[in-house]
Amino acid sequence: MLLLKTLPFKLLSYCKENWIPSLVVFYLLISSILQAITSIDIGIPCLWKTLFETSCPSCGLTTSFVCLLRADWLAAWQTNKLIYVVLPAASFYLLQDFWRFCTK
C-alpha cells in the first residue's frame, strides 16, 4: 500500500535520474499514440534505410506498435513479427529496472 502512495514520486525521480532514456520512451509513446489516433506521423525515419536503401530487421517496429495500439494484431504481425519479442522484452526490462530503482 505504501508503494502505491509513493509510486508517482518514485516514477518522477526515476525519470529524473534516467532522463535520456525517459525522453526517448516518452517521444516514442507520444508519436505512436498521435499516429494511431490521427495518422499524423512525427516519427524519425530509419537512418539505416535512408543511408543504405535496404530494410534492417527493426524496420517497421514503430508501424507495428501503432497497429497494436489500434488493436490490429494481424497487421502488426505482417508489418514486423519482431514486435511480439521486442515489446515484451523491453517492457520486462523497464519494469525490472524500475523495481530495482524503487527497492534500492
Side-chain angles (χ1 to χ4, degrees), residues 13-34:
S13 59
Y14 177 79
C15 290
K16 189 176 182 181
E17 188 173 310
N18 301 303
W19 66 275
I20 293 175
S22 297
L23 281 177
V24 171
V25 168
F26 181 72
Y27 170 75
L28 289 173
L29 282 174
I30 293 300
S31 66
S32 297
I33 291 170
L34 185 66

Side-chain angles (χ1 to χ4, degrees), residues 81-98:
K81 295 167 181 62
L82 199 57
I83 191 71
Y84 290 105
V85 175
V86 171
L87 188 61
S91 300
F92 175 76
Y93 172 75
L94 284 172
L95 288 173
Q96 183 183 26
D97 192 47
F98 182 66

Side-chain angles (χ1 to χ4, degrees), residues 54-71:
T54 183
S55 295
C56 67
S58 67
C59 276
L61 276 178
T62 306
T63 306
S64 187
F65 182 66
V66 169
C67 291
L68 285 178
L69 287 176
R70 292 179 180 158

